């Protein structure tokens, strides 16, 4: 869900510039395949376990369990990277405890991510998987807006066009979702829409703020994940206690958990780490392929698994979103459109 965690700033700083070009070619395909599968399975599984009959787990406990899993996975990956258990924990001690000021910087992003993840569980509980998959791409738009205001970064005309098409495509999907007369089980279009938009805003703010405060840092991406995870577990516990404390005391912390729920949470936890893998071995175009493929596959599976009905309006909206993702990550793609060459004689205007 990826998102879900936006560790891209830390990953960019931790990965050498020539890592993509020097990496084995098969690693691009490998990382792309795994990210696509993670995007598809995490959304479909979470939607499935939130809508099947029977006891349903408490959202805030799933967020906390996800933070615990992600932190443990990051520690294991750090040990693998350092080839030493003792050396890894010494590194952790110096990076997290001795350099407490740097660790504290991750507190605000961790809080924003925790709130975002709770909202994502609300939205996936109230939107069908395909609609959620498309709508959550709004995080690209919100990230761009916060990048302009907080990092003072400039975007080309083509990228702004891509962001407009993205917004337009998601609007079409949401209009179809809210005006549909077809009965949908476990769907609350308004609540789902509000929660997914709020999650996208928090995702954009957290990612950009994280990049701003840690710009130029050479700290390992796994250390950053562990720092975020420490605060994530703290805020996850506080959120669970404050929002669902009474229900947890009455039913139990693991109420409604099945093997499938644990699998869904584990796959969702691995999302941020897979993003790091893709950033290391591929580029934005490959990430665009993964996201686009996940949208298409989610739509196809949803038609069979959740009786999702693909409408003309939804299809057009999804096409706009997919096209905008590619255009935003690689603006010069627009030059392959014949009409552009006619309208814009001076190509510098576009870029």
């Amino acid at each position: 869900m990826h998102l879900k965690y936006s560790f891209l700033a830390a990953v960019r700083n931790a990965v050498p510039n020539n890592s993509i070009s020097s990496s084995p070619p098969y690693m691009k395909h490998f990382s792309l395949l795994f990210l696509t599968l993670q995007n598809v399975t995490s959304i479909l599984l979470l939607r499935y376990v939130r809508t099947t009959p029977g006891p349903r787990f408490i959202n805030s406990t799933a967020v906390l369990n996800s933070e615990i899993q992600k932190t443990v996975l990051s520690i294991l990956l750090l040990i693998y990277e350092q080839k030493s258990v003792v050396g890894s924990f010494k590194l952790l001690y110096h990076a997290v405890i001795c350099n407490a000021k740097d660790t504290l910087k991750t507190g605000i992003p961790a809080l924003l991510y925790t709130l975002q993840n709770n909202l994502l569980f609300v939205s996936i509980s109230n939107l069908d998987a395909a609609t959620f998959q498309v709508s959550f791409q709004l995080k690209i738009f919100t990230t761009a807006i916060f990048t302009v205001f907080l990092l003072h970064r400039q975007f080309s005309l083509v990228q702004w066009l891509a962001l407009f098409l993205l917004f337009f495509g998601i609007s079409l999907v949401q209009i179809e979702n809210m005006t549909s007369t077809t009965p949908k089980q476990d769907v609350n279009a308004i609540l789902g829409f509000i929660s997914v938009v709020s999650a996208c805003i928090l995702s954009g703010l957290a990612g950009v703020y994280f990049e701003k405060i840690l710009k130029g840092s050479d700290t390992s991406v796994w250390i950053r994940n562990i720092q975020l995870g420490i605060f994530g577990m703290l805020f996850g516990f506080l959120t669970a206690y404050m929002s669902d404390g009474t229900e947890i005391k009455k039913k139990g912390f693991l109420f409604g958990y099945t093997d499938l729920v644990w699998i869904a949470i584990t796959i969702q936890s691995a999302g941020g780490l897979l993003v790091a893998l893709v950033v290391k071995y591929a580029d934005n175009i490959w990430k665009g392929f993964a996201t686009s493929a996940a949208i298409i596959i989610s739509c196809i599976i949803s038609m069979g698994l959740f009786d999702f009905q693909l409408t003309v309006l939804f299809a057009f909206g999804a096409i706009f979103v997919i096209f905008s993702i590619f255009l935003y990550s690689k603006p010069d793609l627009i030059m392959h459109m014949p009409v552009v060459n006619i309208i814009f004689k001076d190509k510098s205007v576009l870029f």
Side-chain angles (χ1 to χ4, degrees), residues 74 77-78 81 220-227 273 276-277:
S74 295
L77 286 167
L78 179 65
E81 183 180 74
S220 164
V221 65
W222 310 128
I223 294 290
R224 288 299 183 207
N225 287 356
I226 294 167
Q227 290 173 324
L273 306 181
L277 184 68

Side-chain angles (χ1 to χ4, degrees), residues 110-125:
L111 174 61
L112 295 174
Y113 283 133
T114 302
L115 296 175
Q116 169 208 298
N117 283 338
N118 278 279
L119 286 167
L120 287 179
F121 274 98
V122 174
S123 57
I124 197 63
S125 301

Side-chain angles (χ1 to χ4, degrees), residues 12-300:
R12 289 192 190 102
N13 291 323
V15 177
N17 292 332
N18 63 348
S19 63
I20 292 176
S21 59
S22 62
S23 61
Y26 70 87
M27 283 304 299
K28 292 183 180 181
H29 299 87
F30 181 80
S31 57
L32 168 67
L33 175 64
F34 269 77
L35 183 61
T36 302
L37 290 175
Q38 191 275 337
N39 282 339
V40 173
T41 54
S42 64
I43 301 303
L44 292 175
L45 273 178
L46 284 175
R47 176 63 182 170
Y48 181 78
V49 297
R50 290 302 297 167
T51 56
T52 50
R56 295 180 182 177
F57 63 89
I58 303 169
N59 286 340
S60 59
T61 65
V63 173
L64 177 54
N65 281 324
S66 178
E67 290 296 333
I68 294 171
Q69 289 183 356
K70 182 157 49 54
T71 305
V72 171
L73 281 172
S74 295
I75 292 173
L76 293 175
L77 286 167
L78 179 65
I79 293 172
Y80 175 79
E81 183 180 74
Q82 297 295 318
K83 309 297 184 185
S84 169
V85 175
V86 175
S88 297
F89 280 96
K90 283 183 178 179
L91 181 62
L92 266 179
Y93 174 76
H94 287 291
V96 177
I97 306 299
C98 297
N99 197 5
K101 185 178 179 180
D102 186 60
T103 302
L104 288 173
K105 290 180 180 179
T106 62
I108 293 178
L111 174 61
L112 295 174
Y113 283 133
T114 302
L115 296 175
Q116 169 208 298
N117 283 338
N118 278 279
L119 286 167
L120 287 179
F121 274 98
V122 174
S123 57
I124 197 63
S125 301
N126 290 281
L127 293 174
D128 58 72
T131 301
F132 173 83
Q133 189 76 270
V134 174
S135 301
F136 192 50
Q137 303 314 310
L138 186 64
K139 64 185 178 181
I140 299 173
F141 181 86
T142 58
T143 300
I145 298 301
F146 284 118
T147 297
V148 171
F149 284 103
L150 295 181
L151 300 181
H152 308 292
R153 194 171 296 162
Q154 300 297 318
F155 291 101
S156 67
L157 179 61
V158 176
Q159 287 179 308
W160 281 114
L161 172 62
L163 291 171
F164 170 77
L165 293 176
L166 175 73
F167 190 85
F168 180 70
I170 292 173
S171 298
L172 290 180
V173 170
Q174 284 299 331
I175 289 171
E176 190 281 330
N177 188 48
M178 291 187 178
T179 59
S180 175
T181 57
T182 305
K184 296 181 180 180
Q185 185 179 5
D186 291 298
V187 169
N188 185 328
I190 296 177
L191 178 59
F193 171 73
I194 293 173
S195 57
V196 77
V197 169
S198 300
C200 288
I201 293 172
L202 290 174
S203 175
L205 177 59
V208 174
Y209 181 80
F210 193 48
E211 181 175 354
K212 182 179 177 65
I213 63 174
L214 299 174
K215 194 171 184 180
S217 172
D218 58 354
T219 303
S220 164
V221 65
W222 310 128
I223 294 290
R224 288 299 183 207
N225 287 356
I226 294 167
Q227 290 173 324
L228 282 168
I230 291 170
F231 284 105
M233 288 186 289
L234 172 63
F235 292 132
F237 173 80
L238 293 175
T239 302
Y241 179 79
M242 291 188 293
S243 62
D244 301 306
T246 303
E247 186 177 6
I248 292 172
K249 288 179 182 178
K250 181 180 178 181
K251 298 179 178 179
F253 184 80
L254 298 179
F255 174 79
Y257 277 69
T258 63
D259 291 342
L260 202 57
V261 171
W262 279 113
I263 292 172
I265 293 173
T266 301
I267 292 174
Q268 190 265 338
S269 302
L273 306 181
L274 282 171
V275 168
L277 184 68
V278 171
V279 172
K280 182 174 182 179
Y281 291 110
D283 54 22
N284 284 330
I285 294 299
W286 286 94
K287 286 187 291 177
F289 270 117
T291 303
S292 302
I295 290 174
I296 295 170
I297 295 171
S298 294
C299 290
I300 294 172

